Amino acid sequence: MRTIGLIGGLSWESTVIYYQIINQRVRERLGGSHNANSVIWSVDYTVVEDLIFAGKWDEVGEMLATAGVQLEGMGAELLLICSNTFSRVNDEVERAASVPVLHIADAVGAAVSAKGMRKVGLLGTRFTMEEAFYRDRLAAHGFEVVVPESAEREMVHGVIFDELVRGVLRPSSRDAYVRTIEGLADQGAEAVILGCTEIELLITDKDTVIPLLPSARLHAEAAAEFALNG
Protein backbone atom coordinates (compact mmCIF):
# COMPACT_ATOMS: atom_id res chain seq x y z
CA MET A 1 0.00 0.00 0.00
CA ARG A 2 1.42 3.37 -1.04
CA THR A 3 1.71 6.23 1.44
CA ILE A 4 -0.58 9.21 0.82
CA GLY A 5 0.61 12.76 1.53
CA LEU A 6 -2.13 15.30 2.30
CA ILE A 7 -1.49 19.03 2.00
CA GLY A 8 -4.24 20.09 4.35
CA GLY A 9 -5.43 22.93 6.53
CA LEU A 10 -7.19 24.42 3.49
CA SER A 11 -9.22 24.45 5.78
CA TRP A 12 -8.71 21.82 8.49
CA GLU A 13 -12.50 21.46 8.66
CA SER A 14 -12.48 19.63 5.33
CA THR A 15 -9.09 17.96 5.81
CA VAL A 16 -10.88 15.84 8.40
CA ILE A 17 -13.12 14.53 5.61
CA TYR A 18 -10.09 13.38 3.65
CA TYR A 19 -8.56 11.51 6.56
CA GLN A 20 -11.86 9.85 7.40
CA ILE A 21 -12.81 8.80 3.87
CA ILE A 22 -9.37 7.52 2.91
CA ASN A 23 -9.17 5.34 6.00
CA GLN A 24 -12.73 4.10 5.60
CA ARG A 25 -12.09 3.04 2.01
CA VAL A 26 -8.89 1.21 2.93
CA ARG A 27 -10.62 -0.62 5.77
CA GLU A 28 -13.53 -1.57 3.50
CA ARG A 29 -11.09 -3.01 0.96
CA LEU A 30 -8.65 -4.75 3.29
CA GLY A 31 -10.95 -5.52 6.21
CA GLY A 32 -10.14 -5.88 9.87
CA SER A 33 -8.51 -2.88 11.49
CA HIS A 34 -6.56 -1.73 8.42
CA ASN A 35 -6.13 1.94 7.66
CA ALA A 36 -4.13 3.97 5.14
CA ASN A 37 -0.46 4.84 5.38
CA SER A 38 -0.63 8.63 5.32
CA VAL A 39 1.10 11.83 6.38
CA ILE A 40 -0.49 15.28 6.69
CA TRP A 41 1.08 18.71 6.35
CA SER A 42 -1.46 21.20 7.69
CA VAL A 43 -0.82 24.86 6.85
CA ASP A 44 -2.13 27.81 8.85
CA TYR A 45 -5.22 28.72 6.86
CA THR A 46 -5.28 32.41 7.78
CA VAL A 47 -1.83 32.85 6.25
CA VAL A 48 -2.77 31.38 2.87
CA GLU A 49 -6.20 33.02 2.90
CA ASP A 50 -4.57 36.44 3.29
CA LEU A 51 -2.21 35.64 0.42
CA ILE A 52 -4.94 34.66 -2.05
CA PHE A 53 -7.02 37.74 -1.32
CA ALA A 54 -3.89 39.81 -1.88
CA GLY A 55 -3.37 38.04 -5.21
CA LYS A 56 -0.05 36.57 -4.06
CA TRP A 57 -0.52 33.19 -5.68
CA ASP A 58 3.22 32.81 -6.32
CA GLU A 59 3.81 32.78 -2.57
CA VAL A 60 1.00 30.27 -2.10
CA GLY A 61 2.56 28.07 -4.76
CA GLU A 62 5.95 28.21 -3.05
CA MET A 63 4.41 27.39 0.33
CA LEU A 64 2.42 24.39 -0.89
CA ALA A 65 5.29 23.15 -3.04
CA THR A 66 7.51 23.20 0.04
CA ALA A 67 4.84 21.26 1.92
CA GLY A 68 4.73 18.69 -0.87
CA VAL A 69 8.50 18.23 -0.81
CA GLN A 70 8.41 17.84 2.97
CA LEU A 71 5.72 15.18 2.68
CA GLU A 72 7.69 13.36 0.03
CA GLY A 73 10.67 13.40 2.36
CA MET A 74 8.44 11.80 5.00
CA GLY A 75 7.66 8.92 2.67
CA ALA A 76 4.63 10.14 0.68
CA GLU A 77 4.26 8.37 -2.68
CA LEU A 78 1.21 10.40 -3.77
CA LEU A 79 0.30 14.01 -2.97
CA LEU A 80 -3.08 15.74 -2.72
CA ILE A 81 -3.85 19.41 -2.24
CA CYS A 82 -6.96 19.07 -0.08
CA SER A 83 -8.79 21.97 -1.71
CA ASN A 84 -10.41 23.07 -4.94
CA THR A 85 -9.37 26.72 -4.72
CA PHE A 86 -5.76 25.92 -3.90
CA SER A 87 -5.54 23.47 -6.78
CA ARG A 88 -4.74 26.66 -8.69
CA VAL A 89 -1.11 25.94 -7.70
CA ASN A 90 -1.23 22.21 -8.41
CA ASP A 91 1.32 22.62 -11.22
CA GLU A 92 3.78 24.30 -8.87
CA VAL A 93 3.56 21.37 -6.46
CA GLU A 94 3.98 18.92 -9.36
CA ARG A 95 7.13 20.69 -10.55
CA ALA A 96 8.68 20.58 -7.07
CA ALA A 97 7.80 16.96 -6.26
CA SER A 98 8.92 13.73 -7.89
CA VAL A 99 5.80 11.77 -6.95
CA PRO A 100 2.31 12.04 -8.54
CA VAL A 101 0.03 14.91 -7.48
CA LEU A 102 -3.63 13.93 -7.86
CA HIS A 103 -5.59 16.96 -9.06
CA ILE A 104 -8.98 17.32 -7.39
CA ALA A 105 -10.65 18.41 -10.65
CA ASP A 106 -9.47 15.21 -12.34
CA ALA A 107 -10.97 13.09 -9.57
CA VAL A 108 -14.26 14.97 -9.89
CA GLY A 109 -14.18 15.00 -13.69
CA ALA A 110 -13.59 11.24 -13.85
CA ALA A 111 -16.59 10.66 -11.58
CA VAL A 112 -18.84 12.87 -13.72
CA SER A 113 -17.71 11.14 -16.91
CA ALA A 114 -18.26 7.70 -15.37
CA LYS A 115 -21.87 8.69 -14.71
CA GLY A 116 -22.33 9.73 -18.33
CA MET A 117 -23.41 13.26 -17.41
CA ARG A 118 -23.18 15.96 -20.07
CA LYS A 119 -23.95 19.10 -18.05
CA VAL A 120 -23.26 19.81 -14.39
CA GLY A 121 -23.41 22.79 -12.09
CA LEU A 122 -20.49 24.06 -10.02
CA LEU A 123 -20.46 25.73 -6.62
CA GLY A 124 -17.28 26.95 -4.96
CA THR A 125 -15.29 30.03 -4.14
CA ARG A 126 -15.28 32.90 -6.59
CA PHE A 127 -11.83 31.72 -7.72
CA THR A 128 -13.11 28.24 -8.52
CA MET A 129 -16.34 29.30 -10.20
CA GLU A 130 -14.95 32.15 -12.28
CA GLU A 131 -11.33 31.35 -13.15
CA ALA A 132 -10.19 29.01 -15.92
CA PHE A 133 -7.81 26.83 -13.87
CA TYR A 134 -10.64 24.69 -12.48
CA ARG A 135 -13.44 24.93 -15.01
CA ASP A 136 -11.16 24.18 -17.96
CA ARG A 137 -9.72 21.16 -16.17
CA LEU A 138 -13.25 19.83 -15.64
CA ALA A 139 -14.32 20.60 -19.21
CA ALA A 140 -11.39 18.54 -20.49
CA HIS A 141 -13.28 15.49 -19.23
CA GLY A 142 -15.98 16.10 -21.84
CA PHE A 143 -18.93 17.80 -20.18
CA GLU A 144 -20.36 21.30 -19.84
CA VAL A 145 -19.99 23.25 -16.59
CA VAL A 146 -22.48 25.94 -15.53
CA VAL A 147 -22.27 28.30 -12.56
CA PRO A 148 -24.82 30.51 -10.78
CA GLU A 149 -25.49 34.13 -11.65
CA SER A 150 -23.18 36.82 -10.21
CA ALA A 151 -25.21 37.64 -7.07
CA GLU A 152 -25.53 33.98 -6.18
CA ARG A 153 -21.82 33.42 -6.78
CA GLU A 154 -21.07 36.18 -4.30
CA MET A 155 -23.40 34.58 -1.75
CA VAL A 156 -21.83 31.14 -2.18
CA HIS A 157 -18.33 32.63 -1.91
CA GLY A 158 -19.22 34.66 1.19
CA VAL A 159 -20.70 31.72 3.04
CA ILE A 160 -17.54 29.69 2.44
CA PHE A 161 -15.12 32.28 3.81
CA ASP A 162 -17.31 33.85 6.49
CA GLU A 163 -18.85 30.63 7.82
CA LEU A 164 -17.78 27.22 6.54
CA VAL A 165 -14.00 27.51 6.93
CA ARG A 166 -14.70 28.59 10.52
CA GLY A 167 -16.95 25.61 11.23
CA VAL A 168 -20.15 27.69 11.18
CA LEU A 169 -23.15 25.86 9.66
CA ARG A 170 -26.27 28.01 9.36
CA PRO A 171 -29.67 26.71 8.21
CA SER A 172 -30.26 30.00 6.38
CA SER A 173 -27.11 29.44 4.32
CA ARG A 174 -28.16 25.86 3.59
CA ASP A 175 -31.50 27.17 2.32
CA ALA A 176 -29.76 29.75 0.13
CA TYR A 177 -27.53 27.04 -1.36
CA VAL A 178 -30.56 24.84 -2.03
CA ARG A 179 -32.23 27.66 -3.95
CA THR A 180 -29.05 28.20 -5.96
CA ILE A 181 -28.88 24.50 -6.81
CA GLU A 182 -32.50 24.59 -7.93
CA GLY A 183 -31.54 27.41 -10.29
CA LEU A 184 -28.72 25.32 -11.74
CA ALA A 185 -31.15 22.44 -12.22
CA ASP A 186 -33.40 24.84 -14.13
CA GLN A 187 -30.42 25.53 -16.44
CA GLY A 188 -30.27 21.83 -17.24
CA ALA A 189 -27.63 20.69 -14.76
CA GLU A 190 -27.91 16.96 -14.09
CA ALA A 191 -25.94 17.26 -10.85
CA VAL A 192 -23.96 19.88 -8.95
CA ILE A 193 -20.29 19.68 -8.05
CA LEU A 194 -19.61 20.86 -4.53
CA GLY A 195 -16.41 22.49 -5.70
CA CYS A 196 -15.34 23.68 -2.29
CA THR A 197 -14.38 20.94 0.12
CA GLU A 198 -16.23 22.59 3.01
CA ILE A 199 -19.63 22.74 1.27
CA GLU A 200 -20.29 19.06 1.92
CA LEU A 201 -20.27 19.89 5.63
CA LEU A 202 -23.34 22.05 5.04
CA ILE A 203 -25.46 20.26 2.46
CA THR A 204 -26.22 16.71 1.28
CA ASP A 205 -28.28 14.96 -1.40
CA LYS A 206 -31.19 14.85 1.04
CA ASP A 207 -31.50 18.63 0.70
CA THR A 208 -31.54 18.95 -3.08
CA VAL A 209 -33.58 18.20 -6.19
CA ILE A 210 -30.58 16.85 -8.16
CA PRO A 211 -27.57 14.77 -7.07
CA LEU A 212 -24.52 16.35 -5.50
CA LEU A 213 -20.91 15.50 -6.34
CA PRO A 214 -18.83 16.13 -3.19
CA SER A 215 -15.31 16.99 -4.32
CA ALA A 216 -13.47 16.15 -1.08
CA ARG A 217 -15.04 12.71 -0.90
CA LEU A 218 -14.32 11.97 -4.57
CA HIS A 219 -10.74 13.18 -4.25
CA ALA A 220 -10.18 11.10 -1.12
CA GLU A 221 -11.69 7.99 -2.72
CA ALA A 222 -9.42 8.40 -5.75
CA ALA A 223 -6.41 8.68 -3.43
CA ALA A 224 -7.36 5.52 -1.58
CA GLU A 225 -7.76 3.69 -4.89
CA PHE A 226 -4.33 4.82 -6.04
CA ALA A 227 -2.73 3.86 -2.73
CA LEU A 228 -4.19 0.38 -2.94
CA ASN A 229 -3.86 -0.31 -6.66
CA GLY A 230 -1.62 2.31 -8.26
Side-chain angles (χ1 to χ4, degrees):
M1 177 167 49
R2 292 169 174 82
T3 298
I4 300 170
L6 302 173
I7 302 174
L10 303 165
S11 67
W12 73 260
E13 300 283 347
S14 61
T15 305
V16 172
I17 296 173
Y18 278 83
Y19 189 71
Q20 181 181 45
I21 296 301
I22 287 169
N23 285 304
Q24 285 176 346
R25 292 297 170 268
V26 169
R27 185 171 60 190
E28 287 168 5
R29 179 75 66 84
L30 300 182
S33 55
H34 282 285
N35 59 270
N37 295 327
S38 62
V39 286
I40 301 174
W41 189 281
S42 188
V43 304
D44 182 349
Y45 186 72
T46 293
V47 174
V48 289
E49 183 181 65
D50 289 347
L51 288 173
I52 64 173
F53 280 108
K56 297 180 178 180
W57 283 101
D58 288 347
E59 292 184 35
V60 174
E62 292 174 7
M63 184 181 299
L64 298 195
T66 298
V69 171
Q70 295 283 358
L71 288 168
E72 186 177 351
M74 296 163 66
E77 299 166 275
L78 167 71
L79 299 176
L80 283 75
I81 299 174
C82 300
S83 168
N84 293 275
T85 296
F86 290 91
S87 70
R88 192 179 192 273
V89 298
N90 201 88
D91 290 350
E92 286 86 335
V93 177
E94 280 190 327
R95 284 194 291 269
S98 58
V99 297
V101 183
L102 179 59
H103 199 297
I104 189 168
D106 289 337
V108 174
V112 174
S113 296
K115 294 177 183 295
M117 294 179 176
R118 306 303 301 169
K119 187 175 186 178
V120 297
L122 172 64
L123 299 183
T125 67
R126 185 189 308 123
F127 308 102
T128 302
M129 290 187 288
E130 296 180 359
E131 295 186 24
F133 74 93
Y134 194 85
R135 293 178 61 176
D136 286 357
R137 189 100 181 196
L138 288 175
H141 287 268
F143 53 85
E144 182 182 355
V145 179
V146 293
V147 297
E149 297 298 324
S150 177
E152 290 177 310
R153 292 200 302 271
E154 287 302 310
M155 178 276 296
V156 170
H157 177 90
V159 167
I160 291 167
F161 284 105
D162 296 338
E163 301 172 23
L164 301 185
V165 300
R166 302 177 184 184
V168 177
L169 305 176
R170 292 181 176 151
S172 58
S173 296
R174 181 181 297 111
D175 293 343
Y177 271 47
V178 168
R179 289 192 295 272
T180 300
I181 290 168
E182 289 172 349
L184 292 171
D186 290 341
Q187 293 184 52
E190 301 167 74
V192 170
I193 297 167
L194 302 185
C196 171
T197 53
E198 286 80 20
I199 297 177
E200 52 208 85
L201 299 168
L202 178 68
I203 195 167
T204 70
D205 278 325
K206 295 178 181 178
D207 303 307
T208 59
V209 295
I210 53 176
L212 302 179
L213 298 160
S215 58
R217 177 175 293 271
L218 294 171
H219 201 196
E221 289 175 343
E225 181 70 20
F226 182 94
L228 290 165
N229 297 328

